Amino acid sequence: MIATVREDRVGPEAAIEAIEAVEAVEAVEAVEAAEAVEAAEAVDDAAAQDESRRRAIIELLLDEASRRGLPGADGVDRETGFVSEAQAQAIEALLDEELRIVEPDEQACRRHYAAQASRFGPVERVHARHILFAVTPGVDVAALAAYAEQLLLGLRGSSDRTSAFAQAARRNSNCPSGAQGGDLGWIVSRDCAPEFARELFDRPETGLLPRLVRSRLGLHIVEVLARERGDEPTWEEVREAVAQDLRRRSWVTALRRYLSELSAQAPSDGTNADGSR
């Protein structure tokens, strides 16, 4: 059931999400605690609006993958920006070849944890349900998005959303959870693709999300039914998460450097594709 939103591979969306997530953390670290939420939201809004940057990164990576003859690296759909499964695999293969990360030692992990202890606190669980509109080869994405938007509007205005959502999920969802009315049960962020988790976690709201969530699987209508914070973890429980955060930062640094190198070699259209503005 959760497997349809779980994704451990790199992929173009995960690469971009990693850059934006680290940028959001850096922005929050730069301000006082009272301003942290506003800073994170401002970075999130800016990233959501910068579609041209996202597409520039994907096209740059696909161009290089194509130049190297990696299978599946044909051009991204310029109208919708969606990337096929084969294209995602080509980008993954390219990044696997090019990016090297530094493995953090115990001392580095403890230093990072001491500076960022609040980020590794109790793990949030979310009880959610969704309706997945899968984007597969040959799908008219614009028509699919219009249909999903119309359904979302209908659910927002429904007088009996519980029943209406469950019925809509059974009729429309391409996820096996549709048989259970879209119910994903209780999940944590690591159960989900990064771009899906980003819309669900570390937010106070519950209820129907006001916009469609786009992931590498397609489009989602999502409702958060409840949130729950866990117990304070021990160092042994968070050590791997701390190490993974340091690995991700190292990976993002390597990705930015690589994108900068590719940008320098490619004709410029005025859009920065190295993670900078």
Side-chain angles (χ1 to χ4, degrees):
M1 180 165 63
I2 300 176
T4 55
V5 294
R6 184 193 300 265
E7 186 56 76
D8 297 325
R9 296 169 302 159
V10 176
E13 298 291 347
I16 296 162
E17 290 291 336
I19 290 175
E20 293 176 347
V22 170
E23 286 176 343
V25 170
E26 290 170 347
V28 171
E29 291 169 355
V31 297
E32 296 178 357
E35 299 171 338
V37 173
E38 291 182 9
E41 289 174 349
V43 172
D44 185 64
D45 290 342
Q49 294 171 4
D50 200 357
E51 181 67 14
S52 62
R53 175 172 173 246
R54 171 188 169 276
R55 295 192 187 190
I57 291 174
I58 291 175
E59 290 182 12
L60 195 64
L61 293 171
L62 283 175
D63 285 346
E64 179 62 16
S66 179
R67 188 186 71 79
R68 296 191 181 197
L70 295 176
D74 50 316
V76 66
D77 186 330
R78 293 180 182 273
E79 181 178 350
T80 66
F82 276 98
V83 177
S84 71
E85 184 73 11
Q87 290 168 335
Q89 290 174 356
I91 289 177
E92 289 160 19
L94 176 66
L95 297 182
D96 283 346
E97 288 180 10
E98 292 296 325
L99 304 188
R100 298 292 180 270
I101 63 173
V102 177
E103 183 62 26
D105 59 21
E106 183 76 7
Q107 186 177 10
C109 288
R110 287 188 177 273
R111 268 199 315 270
H112 187 55
Y113 178 65
Q116 304 291 329
S118 62
R119 296 187 51 234
F120 301 99
V123 175
E124 182 184 20
R125 296 197 313 157
V126 167
H127 184 194
R129 57 182 180 175
H130 79 144
I131 303 170
L132 169 63
F133 302 89
V135 174
T136 55
V139 168
D140 185 335
V141 177
L144 185 66
Y147 178 80
E149 288 279 8
Q150 192 64 35
L151 182 56
L152 174 59
L153 287 173
L155 290 173
R156 289 173 65 180
S158 174
S159 60
D160 184 7
R161 185 181 298 163
T162 299
S163 176
F165 193 106
Q167 291 177 14
R170 292 187 183 97
R171 288 196 305 266
N172 297 281
S173 186
N174 299 124
C175 175
S177 66
Q180 288 77 47
D183 195 347
L184 293 170
W186 286 95
I187 57 175
V188 296
S189 60
R190 64 176 173 270
D191 292 325
C192 311
E195 62 274 16
F196 189 89
R198 185 180 178 188
E199 299 294 332
L200 267 69
F201 295 91
D202 298 320
R203 301 172 184 266
E205 303 87 2
T206 57
L208 191 66
L209 299 192
R211 63 180 181 180
L212 296 176
V213 174
R214 183 174 64 186
S215 78
R216 65 204 66 187
L217 298 174
L219 304 168
H220 309 252
I221 294 175
V222 182
E223 184 173 18
V224 176
L225 302 174
R227 298 180 182 277
E228 184 178 275
R229 301 289 287 181
D231 297 329
E232 194 70 35
T234 65
W235 166 248
E236 289 72 21
E237 290 172 329
V238 301
R239 200 278 181 199
E240 180 54 32
V242 174
Q244 185 60 31
D245 191 55
L246 286 172
R247 292 186 197 104
R248 181 177 65 168
R249 288 171 179 244
S250 174
W251 186 84
V252 167
T253 298
L255 176 60
R256 283 174 169 161
R257 186 180 301 115
Y258 183 53
L259 290 171
S260 182
E261 293 171 359
L262 292 180
S263 294
Q265 300 167 9
S268 176
D269 62 357
T271 301
N272 292 330
D274 62 353
S276 65
R277 295 186 183 280

